[in-house]
Amino acid sequence: MPLTRRHNRYFFADPNPEQRLREHKKPMTTMTIEPDTVSIRTAELQSYTTFRLRAHWFGVPTAVVKEVTLVPPLTPVPHAPGAVRGYVNLRGHIVLVVDLNFLLYRCPEDLDADTRLIVFKPQLGDACSILVQRIGDMVELDAAQIESYRTGSEADSQDAGLLPEEELIQGVGKLDGHLLLILDAHRLPSCLEQIIAKRCQEPSSHGNASKENYQ
Amino acid sequence: MTDRTPADPALLELFRAELETHLATLSSGVLALEKTPDDSRQLESLMRAAHSIKGAARIVGFDAAVQISHHLEDCFVAAQRGQIALTSDGVDVLLRGVDALGRLGTPGDAEGSDAVRIEELDACIAEIAAVRSGQLPPTPEPAPKLASEPAPKLAPDPSPPVASEAAVHEFVSEAREHLANVVQDLLTLEQRPGEADAECLHRLFRAMHSIKGGAGFVGCRTIEQLAHAMENVLESLSQTGTGIDSTVVDTLLAGTDRVQALVDDAQHSDEADVSEIMQRLRQCLEASTPAPADRPPVQAATQQLSSQAPVAAKGTATSGGELPRSGDRSASVRISVPLVDRLMTLAGELVLVRNQALRSIESGDAAIRPVLQRLDALTSQLQSAVTQTRMQPVGNLFARFPRTVRDMARQMGKSIELEMGGTEVELDKSVLELLSDPLTHLIRNCCDHGLETAEQRVRAGKPATGRIVLSARQQGGQIYIEIRDDGRGIEVERIRRKVVDGGLRTAADLVRLSDKETLGLITLPGFSTASEVTDLSGRGVGMDVVKTNLDRLGGALEIDSTPGQGTTFSLCVPLTLAIIPCLLVRVQDQCYAIPQKDLEELVCLHPDQGQTRIESTLEQEVVRLRGRLLPLVRLSEVLDHPRPFDVKTRESIVRKHGAQAATLFAVVKVGQRRFGLIVDEILKNEEIVVKPMHGLLKPLTCFSGATILGDGQVALILNMEGIVHHAGVRFGEHVDHIEDHPSDEPSQRGESAQVLLFRYGAEEQFAVPLAMIRRLVMVDPEHIEQVGSREFLQVDGETTRLLRPDQVLPVSPAAPVHPLFLLLPKNIGRPLGLLATSIIDTDALPARIERDVLQADGVVGSAVLRGRMTMLLDLGRLAQRSDPTDRTGASSSASDARIRKHRILVVDDTEFFRELVRGYLDEAGYQAVSVADGAQAVRELEQSPFDLVVSDIEMPVMDGWTLAKTLRQRSEFARLPLLALTTLSSDADRDRARTCGFDGYEVKLNRQQFLHKVAALLAKQSEAAKS
């Protein structure tokens, strides 16, 4: 059964897959592995979609990712907190774009040729996505490779101490050569909700965002 | 506890869907209560959810659910009033109640009849009642019982499977169809008691017989027995031909419900106990069988039939399908809603792809163009066809009400008749779903509060049977649903008292409200006129639910009531929620949509006027628009400030823009208030597909949703109420309602008071009442076609005759200019328009009109407007003069009139119309006298006799309605013909005119038609006088 289901089509809804393939020179085999096949092989192994933001590599569970795509033209939403970048039209669906860079580092993400949108599956609530500086590979980690963030942050305080929205970070995965901050995507809606409720005095980013529409 | 279970699978499904949504509210709300026990808004929404479940459960006959939700509701009300405090234990109990409700809604488990369930539910109800009465919550002893509840369900079924699953499935779906018809037929039978409708009975008999056969085939013995018993009763009824009364129908309905319940859970139907209903049916049979001698043939016949059961079942089912009332089922298939939604989305995406394709091909080669055009057309067709699939006849929703009304009538010992009309009108499914709650509440209200008991009705001189008329009709993009009863009506005084007593409004607030507005107050949360709370209604939640749901739909509710005669609820809802017409505007780089329903007009100030016309107080910019001060809101500032404006912000905005002239704004209405919304650019009108805002952005009140525009860009839909709030617009006494020079403006009252100012030649300025203009279009002189001396133009596919003022009036000609403007008059009857070279503005009609200065045919008079002499034109007269072959009824009526000069009184507050009408009448040979309002008219009539009164409706001092009523009450004027002549043109106004006593009704102003009507009324009057 799993073989006949082309799970990977979700990940190449991207209008220009060839280009993406060129960008990622590493073998793509990991990307075609279905979460449930993974769970059949070894119960502990989970797949993460990785992406880069500033100096860090992040990962979200692949199970909650619907697709990764180029950023369509953005429509800013006035009055929304700075972390809400606006709406995009994703093939007839209106999707909310969250600026993770702003959420974590209080600095709006610059849109360039590497910027991608990670769109989440409906299980996270209304259609929602995050802007990432560039997309990385998919990796598989087992639970033993992940340390809870609280303890991890003491050890790596120089790197991780910058993060203000600590609740979003679920843990730290140890990869060869670098660390992977595991994002708890399920907390994203509630985190945003708190921010909106607080109505913290942030300069709304919509004024400049409109000039950065990215094709 | 419950012998009635769902009537109809479709209903049941609706109920479950409703239950699910309300349950979600309940469980999350009750949980939240644990943290904040006195959050009154939370309690309010809980109360409403429980109330809605109660209503829905009653319709489908889940008594247990009714009771539980009733008790829950009681608890919430008590908590809200502070009578009880909800502890964690209390919340536990409430949650158990919610869970019990949830289980009742589980498919296949709906039947609350087996002993364990009843016990459990009773325990649950008792617990909740205990919480309500403020006692300590009982020990959670019943909890284990609840927890163990699913056990019997999971226990292995002792009986072997009755038949193959497919066969059972087939039987179930067939039986359901039969049962739906059975309920209908039973109700029909009841409406015609005594005379047994043979056809109807036969149909019932056949349906039951089919069910019996099918049940026997798949081995459901209990259903077979029950159906057989019912069949017997039906058979004996048709044999005897009498004895169908409500008791019998009750029993049969109960039996049907029982069969339905069994069918819903066919696999386990044999475990159910049906002895009680069998007993009732047996009694029924005995009662309807006069002599035992009649029985053997029946038995024999049925036995004979049942021996060929499986075959016969199929046979009868087919013949049942041929009956006209069953509709052409074969021509339709069931599609799941998610699939339809998906089709909608896909069609939407296809449209966007098409748009992109069309755009990219503009530079492409010619060969592919025809292909694309075809793609274009097909896509549009596909989209509209898919949209069509979401439409459902409103009859689907109405179908449940005959049963509701009947049950309520029985319960309250009233006699009620329900008449339904317009069931074929189609509505978007989502609208239909949202309408279900409000309509149910309104119907129940009619039965409970609206209609009196039979004795009361007879005493009041009304037929003993009360009537409720439920009708739907479509008009434009709106659906109008009317629920009318002929009951006791609503006393406005009583509402006033209740509202003040309940502290919902102060007495001072109420003074300013009209009767109709006061009636509208019954939709306030917490309002109830019922003196005691029953489980039927009276908690003041219902009407609130109606209002809330309608608001969500963007619909409106109007209530009209005459004490002693009845009440009418008129609902107006959009055809579909999905698509609304919007105006697209641009601010900075972004496009926003303003819903058309909020728009009043668009105003563009000329740069040279901008400075003089935008004024400001310290913190509010206003514009003087036709003498009224209109507050202004700058959309760009609203969007730039994430927080609601405070005084400082408002002051700084005024200072910032102080030197700068805004030129473009939309006049927007929010309820009764108006304000101007300044935008950078008006783009176009577009029908947009509304998508809700992302859940996280719901707190942003300035937007009501988002949409995808034709070019694929996302645009936000503005919410005017939110914007007013955000900008803190003050509609203070000195801002909104100030009139510049009140005495100079006799006529801010209606549209008839406005004139359009325009010019043709270099010199003269003309004016035409706005009420007489249908449209104003811009014309390219190159498109004008010449035929002989006449000029024509294509307007909306119609060849329209053009009139130039210098052709019909002694005025100066115009130099050729581009563009020209064309005024298309109303009520002329043929395509014709008057050309103008420039449009100046609209202005109030002047109070003084000079009639003698400029005398010309087609000119009513002249006045000074904007410092210039202005000619007031009579478009109808000009149109007539332009065509000498057009011989209107004037000459004939004139000759008739010459025999004896009829005296006609013209009542109109606008001098222009007064003179126009008087002119028409004079010219036709009548003797016309004119006065300015109803009071003057009465005085005039008292002094000298008149043959006819022509009256406007909207007038100061005494309006047309009152005039007609006043005259009809006085014997000397009781037979005087009254003709209403007004700009009001709705059906409701026509009806009202008739009730007030007008004999005729004419819309301003088609000269020919008007004169015909006058002649006809006078002729009728003289006939009547002769006889």
Side-chain angles (χ1 to χ4, degrees):
Chain A
M1 270 301 270
L3 287 175
T4 57
R5 269 169 54 193
R6 297 279 312 270
H7 188 74
N8 59 349
R9 75 196 154 104
Y10 287 118
F11 296 95
F12 295 105
D14 190 331
N16 202 345
E18 290 83 359
Q19 187 201 333
R20 272 178 36 82
L21 280 168
R22 276 200 305 280
E23 278 172 28
H24 300 280
K25 293 173 191 75
K26 288 193 181 171
M28 305 299 280
T29 45
T30 49
M31 297 194 85
T32 59
I33 292 172
E34 263 192 274
D36 49 359
T37 32
V38 172
S39 59
I40 291 164
R41 267 200 336 230
T42 68
E44 297 86 32
L45 223 51
Q46 214 192 338
S47 162
Y48 293 91
T49 304
T50 68
F51 58 89
R52 196 163 172 88
L53 207 62
R54 303 209 146 193
H56 304 283
W57 280 98
F58 288 82
V60 281
T62 306
V64 300
V65 175
K66 180 169 170 254
E67 64 179 89
V68 177
T69 168
L70 290 166
V71 189
L74 271 161
T75 297
V77 178
H79 301 182
V84 171
R85 201 56 180 270
Y87 277 133
V88 292
N89 165 16
L90 206 61
R91 300 186 307 281
H93 293 272
I94 297 180
V95 177
L96 189 74
V97 178
V98 174
D99 189 339
L100 198 60
N101 197 352
F102 195 97
L103 199 61
L104 299 178
Y105 302 97
R106 292 285 180 276
C107 171
E109 176 74 40
D110 286 326
L111 302 181
D112 61 29
D114 283 335
T115 317
R116 291 290 179 277
L117 211 52
I118 297 183
V119 184
F120 293 113
K121 284 186 181 167
Q123 67 206 63
L124 290 195
D126 289 353
C128 178
S129 64
I130 51 175
L131 277 179
V132 300
Q133 202 173 332
R134 61 181 286 200
I135 196 84
D137 294 330
M138 283 194 183
V139 296
E140 286 177 4
L141 290 176
D142 73 42
Q145 285 174 281
I146 300 177
E147 277 184 34
S148 114
Y149 177 63
R150 297 267 167 229
T151 52
S153 70
E154 281 156 23
D156 310 298
S157 56
Q158 275 173 320
D159 280 342
L162 289 164
L163 306 176
E165 304 296 330
E166 290 184 334
E167 295 160 19
L168 275 178
I169 309 299
Q170 193 177 23
V172 180
K174 286 169 286 186
L175 293 181
D176 299 339
H178 61 87
L179 295 178
L180 188 68
L181 298 171
I182 308 289
L183 204 65
D184 186 353
H186 289 275
R187 299 203 71 127
L188 192 62
S190 68
C191 177
L192 281 171
E193 199 171 9
Q194 283 169 20
I195 293 175
I196 293 173
K198 263 189 281 173
R199 292 311 214 119
C200 42
Q201 194 80 50
E202 290 163 357
S204 171
S205 71
H206 77 269
N208 46 11
S210 58
K211 290 170 197 125
E212 292 168 7
N213 286 353
Y214 174 77
Q215 279 292 353
Chain B
M1 175 180 236
T2 161
D3 60 349
R4 290 193 290 112
T5 31
D8 164 339
L11 257 187
L12 192 56
E13 207 160 279
L14 265 175
F15 167 69
R16 283 190 187 124
E18 256 178 63
L19 186 62
E20 220 165 84
T21 43
H22 293 312
L23 278 177
T25 317
L26 277 180
S27 32
S28 65
V30 171
L31 284 175
L33 272 188
E34 197 157 15
K35 292 188 201 105
T36 50
D38 23 281
D39 180 345
S40 81
R41 272 180 58 191
Q42 186 68 262
L43 281 165
E44 170 118 6
S45 77
L46 283 169
M47 185 168 76
R48 244 183 273 163
H51 188 79
S52 296
I53 293 178
K54 188 175 78 177
R58 176 163 302 280
I59 291 164
V60 293
F62 281 174
D63 289 354
V66 173
Q67 296 227 8
I68 296 179
S69 44
H70 180 64
H71 283 92
L72 283 174
E73 197 186 343
D74 268 335
C75 285
F76 298 136
V77 172
Q80 200 182 20
R81 293 194 183 135
Q83 290 162 350
I84 56 167
L86 287 174
T87 58
S88 298
D89 289 343
V91 167
D92 274 353
V93 174
L94 293 181
L95 277 178
R96 275 204 293 279
V98 174
D99 288 348
L101 279 176
R103 277 194 299 277
L104 281 171
T106 319
D109 193 17
E111 171 67 338
S113 67
D114 72 85
V116 184
R117 294 296 302 283
I118 290 194
E119 216 172 283
E120 166 211 326
L121 291 171
D122 279 343
C124 191
I125 290 166
E127 276 181 0
I128 300 173
V131 173
R132 158 70 186 89
S133 57
Q135 291 165 10
L136 279 176
T139 50
E141 181 261 320
K145 204 185 261 174
L146 284 167
S148 68
E149 182 274 332
K153 230 180 96 193
L154 295 175
D157 189 356
S159 65
V162 281
S164 83
E165 211 152 289
V168 175
H169 191 77
E170 176 76 5
F171 160 67
V172 167
S173 65
E174 198 183 298
R176 278 182 179 158
E177 281 178 11
H178 285 304
L179 287 169
N181 290 341
V182 163
V183 174
Q184 286 270 322
D185 277 331
L186 283 174
L187 292 178
T188 317
L189 267 189
E190 193 184 20
Q191 277 156 21
R192 280 171 284 183
E195 53 160 305
D197 185 328
E199 170 69 10
C200 206
L201 269 174
H202 194 56
R203 212 155 46 213
L204 281 168
F205 174 76
R206 267 190 319 215
M208 269 307 151
H209 187 77
S210 303
I211 293 171
K212 185 182 79 175
F217 183 65
V218 297
C220 295
R221 299 290 153 214
T222 316
I223 298 178
E224 193 186 2
Q225 278 172 23
L226 194 52
H228 181 71
M230 291 194 53
E231 196 185 332
N232 282 348
V233 175
L234 289 164
E235 177 74 12
S236 93
L237 285 175
S238 72
Q239 296 271 326
T240 56
T242 53
I244 301 175
D245 58 19
S246 296
T247 336
V248 178
V249 174
D250 256 355
T251 313
L252 286 173
L253 274 176
T256 312
D257 289 342
R258 205 70 176 82
V259 173
Q260 176 85 60
L262 293 171
V263 163
D264 284 344
D265 191 13
Q267 294 282 11
H268 303 100
S269 61
D270 283 356
E271 297 151 43
D273 171 27
V274 292
S275 55
E276 188 210 321
I277 187 73
M278 290 293 274
Q279 177 64 30
R280 279 176 70 185
L281 285 168
R282 226 167 290 132
Q283 285 166 2
C284 224
L285 186 62
E286 280 156 21
S288 67
T289 313
D294 280 0
R295 284 184 68 180
V298 179
Q299 292 283 0
T302 49
Q303 268 157 23
Q304 188 202 342
L305 279 167
S306 66
S307 64
Q308 10 167 310
V311 188
K314 270 276 171 254
T316 38
T318 322
S319 69
E322 281 159 16
L323 291 168
R325 56 191 292 284
S326 308
D328 46 352
R329 264 187 229 116
S330 58
S332 64
V333 286
R334 271 164 216 243
I335 305 180
S336 73
V337 176
L339 181 59
V340 174
D341 288 346
R342 198 165 142 62
L343 279 173
M344 276 290 266
T345 316
L346 288 173
E349 285 185 29
L350 186 59
V351 169
L352 290 174
V353 172
R354 186 242 354 233
N355 292 350
Q356 280 166 7
L358 286 177
R359 227 174 305 141
S360 62
I361 213 68
E362 272 167 27
S363 53
D365 71 310
I368 201 162
R369 196 155 293 154
V371 181
L372 264 170
Q373 278 169 358
R374 189 136 172 70
L375 174 71
D376 184 13
L378 280 176
T379 310
S380 306
Q381 283 177 24
L382 178 68
Q383 196 191 18
S384 74
V386 172
T387 313
Q388 201 62 40
T389 59
R390 289 177 57 89
M391 304 304 263
Q392 289 189 342
V394 77
N396 287 7
L397 177 59
F398 285 5
R400 60 157 87 167
F401 295 128
R403 177 73 190 266
T404 314
V405 168
R406 179 198 173 274
D407 286 354
M408 288 202 58
R410 292 272 294 160
Q411 208 170 332
M412 290 175 303
K414 294 179 183 174
S415 165
I416 306 175
E417 189 180 283
L418 176 70
E419 191 185 310
M420 299 194 292
T423 50
E424 71 290 343
V425 172
E426 289 199 322
L427 261 176
D428 188 286
K429 190 181 167 318
S430 50
V431 179
L432 215 56
E433 274 164 9
L434 277 172
L435 266 180
S436 135
D437 264 4
L439 279 184
T440 310
H441 281 294
L442 289 175
I443 296 264
R444 293 164 55 79
N445 261 351
C446 284
C447 297
D448 194 11
H449 306 304
L451 293 169
E452 316 89 328
T453 59
E455 304 90 79
Q456 284 170 335
R457 290 183 62 87
V458 172
R459 233 178 294 139
K462 293 196 252 189
T465 301
R467 263 168 73 84
I468 299 175
V469 181
L470 176 63
S471 63
R473 73 195 153 88
Q474 183 185 345
Q475 197 177 321
Q478 305 274 311
I479 298 284
Y480 295 83
I481 297 180
E482 203 177 84
I483 302 157
R484 197 168 66 232
D485 68 49
D486 62 348
R488 57 172 74 97
I490 307 174
E491 284 169 47
V492 175
E493 256 326 296
R494 188 136 166 261
I495 294 180
R496 288 212 175 93
R497 237 180 11 248
K498 285 279 177 183
V499 167
V500 175
D501 290 352
L504 299 168
R505 287 281 187 280
T506 65
D509 286 340
L510 294 185
V511 174
R512 272 182 273 132
L513 297 182
S514 70
D515 283 3
K516 198 156 192 170
E517 284 167 319
T518 311
L519 281 176
L521 293 180
I522 65 172
T523 61
L524 286 176
F527 179 87
S528 176
T529 49
S531 35
E532 64 183 85
V533 174
T534 67
D535 73 328
L536 286 175
S537 36
R539 188 119 39 187
V541 184
M543 288 306 290
D544 178 25
V545 172
V546 173
K547 184 82 172 51
T548 315
N549 274 19
L550 279 177
D551 282 350
R552 262 163 64 197
L553 279 170
L557 173 69
E558 216 172 84
I559 307 163
D560 216 339
S561 181
T562 318
Q565 288 182 22
T567 309
T568 303
F569 295 93
S570 314
L571 284 74
C572 164
V573 290
L575 206 56
T576 167
L577 286 185
I579 298 172
I580 58 167
C582 273
L583 180 76
L584 299 181
V585 299
R586 184 184 60 80
V587 172
Q588 285 144 16
D589 296 331
Q590 289 298 321
C591 188
Y592 297 91
I594 304 176
Q596 201 76 54
K597 67 173 171 57
D598 295 334
L599 271 178
E600 197 107 290
E601 63 179 305
L602 298 173
V603 178
C604 178
L605 299 181
H606 290 294
D608 55 328
Q609 294 172 334
Q611 287 293 28
T612 58
R613 295 229 277 179
I614 288 202
E615 296 162 69
S616 56
T617 65
L618 254 188
E619 36 149 339
Q620 176 70 62
E621 286 178 283
V622 293
V623 70
R624 218 174 276 242
L625 185 66
R626 291 190 288 277
R628 298 182 91 179
L629 292 181
L630 188 75
L632 287 177
V633 174
R634 290 178 187 268
L635 185 55
S636 56
E637 295 292 345
V638 169
L639 299 176
D640 276 347
H641 292 78
R643 285 153 172 273
F645 293 3
D646 52 21
V647 177
K648 270 209 181 106
T649 324
R650 292 160 54 81
E651 281 175 7
S652 74
I653 291 171
V654 170
R655 268 202 306 278
K656 184 169 153 197
H657 295 281
Q660 197 179 332
T663 53
L664 199 57
F665 59 91
V667 180
V668 176
K669 55 176 184 268
V670 176
Q672 300 297 314
R673 316 288 200 175
R674 275 156 189 73
F675 71 97
L677 188 68
I678 299 176
V679 298
D680 292 353
E681 191 185 351
I682 307 268
L683 298 173
K684 59 177 169 180
N685 282 304
E686 195 165 307
E687 302 241 305
I688 60 166
V689 179
V690 180
K691 311 248 170 150
M693 285 300 267
H694 191 278
L696 293 173
L697 299 181
K698 288 275 161 68
L700 308 185
T701 53
C702 287
F703 310 104
S704 59
T707 185
I708 298 175
L709 301 178
D711 63 357
Q713 183 80 28
V714 178
L716 297 167
I717 305 166
L718 299 176
N719 173 22
M720 291 306 152
E721 212 155 313
I723 288 177
V724 166
H725 210 73
H726 194 89
V729 179
R730 283 222 324 267
F731 297 96
E733 270 100 63
H734 38 287
V735 176
D736 186 31
H737 295 297
I738 275 197
E739 309 224 325
D740 221 3
H741 306 286
S743 55
D744 280 4
E745 294 192 85
S747 42
Q748 277 295 333
R749 283 175 297 275
E751 53 170 334
S752 61
Q754 298 287 334
V755 290
L756 179 79
L757 289 181
F758 63 96
R759 273 183 215 161
Y760 180 70
E763 302 299 323
E764 293 87 356
Q765 180 164 285
F766 303 98
V768 172
L770 274 186
M772 297 192 70
I773 299 176
R774 178 164 56 94
R775 243 178 85 190
L776 191 58
V777 287
M778 218 186 270
V779 173
D780 184 345
E782 284 178 20
H783 294 158
I784 296 177
E785 296 163 56
Q786 196 97 20
V787 180
S789 63
R790 298 180 179 187
E791 290 175 301
F792 293 92
L793 182 77
Q794 299 293 327
V795 180
D796 298 338
E798 213 173 16
T799 307
T800 305
R801 169 86 192 273
L802 303 186
L803 286 187
R804 293 177 182 268
D806 61 331
Q807 291 171 335
V808 286
L809 292 170
V811 295
S812 56
V817 287
H818 175 92
L820 287 168
F821 298 90
L822 186 63
L823 282 66
L824 297 169
K826 269 185 199 166
N827 304 324
I828 289 296
R830 61 210 138 114
L832 184 139
L834 188 70
L835 281 175
T837 51
S838 64
I839 301 292
I840 296 161
D841 199 352
T842 59
D843 207 332
L845 189 60
R848 284 292 305 146
I849 298 177
E850 298 288 342
R851 264 179 304 280
D852 307 323
V853 181
L854 288 167
Q855 277 188 328
D857 198 2
V859 177
V860 181
S862 66
V864 175
L865 277 170
R866 297 279 164 92
R868 289 186 71 119
M869 171 84 90
T870 304
M871 297 169 85
L872 294 162
L873 303 184
D874 172 2
L875 286 179
R877 183 71 192 135
L878 287 177
Q880 190 202 351
R881 279 197 37 210
S882 69
D883 191 359
T885 58
D886 173 39
R887 307 201 60 81
T888 62
S891 58
S892 64
S893 52
S895 58
D896 290 348
R898 255 173 231 121
I899 304 165
R900 184 179 81 83
K901 270 214 165 187
H902 286 290
R903 274 171 59 82
I904 298 177
L905 183 65
V906 179
V907 194
D908 200 313
D909 61 319
T910 331
E911 182 168 15
F912 175 81
F913 280 108
R914 202 157 63 219
E915 292 316 316
L916 196 64
V917 171
R918 207 178 68 157
Y920 287 168
L921 292 172
D922 278 344
E923 192 191 335
Y926 302 106
Q927 187 188 349
V929 175
S930 58
V931 292
D933 65 62
Q936 289 180 24
V938 175
R939 278 197 292 279
E940 191 68 37
L941 284 165
E942 281 165 350
Q943 281 164 18
S944 54
F946 282 90
D947 298 298
L948 176 76
V949 175
V950 177
S951 173
D952 188 18
I953 297 296
E954 292 183 321
M955 292 180 291
V957 189
M958 181 193 278
D959 65 16
W961 309 124
T962 326
L963 173 64
K965 278 190 205 157
T966 314
L967 292 179
R968 288 305 181 222
Q969 274 162 14
R970 295 173 55 165
S971 57
E972 67 264 44
F973 300 129
R975 308 185 70 178
L976 177 68
L978 298 179
L979 175 62
L981 182 66
T982 167
T983 46
L984 308 173
S985 58
S986 75
D987 286 347
D989 290 318
R990 279 174 196 276
D991 287 347
R992 184 155 174 208
R994 209 170 304 129
T995 359
C996 287
F998 280 105
D999 301 293
Y1001 192 97
E1002 275 296 311
V1003 174
K1004 275 179 186 169
L1005 183 65
N1006 181 335
R1007 174 174 176 276
Q1008 194 177 339
Q1009 214 170 309
F1010 167 67
L1011 287 174
H1012 270 303
K1013 193 73 165 221
V1014 167
L1017 282 174
L1018 287 171
K1020 208 168 118 194
Q1021 175 71 359
S1022 55
E1023 288 278 310
K1026 268 180 228 158
S1027 62

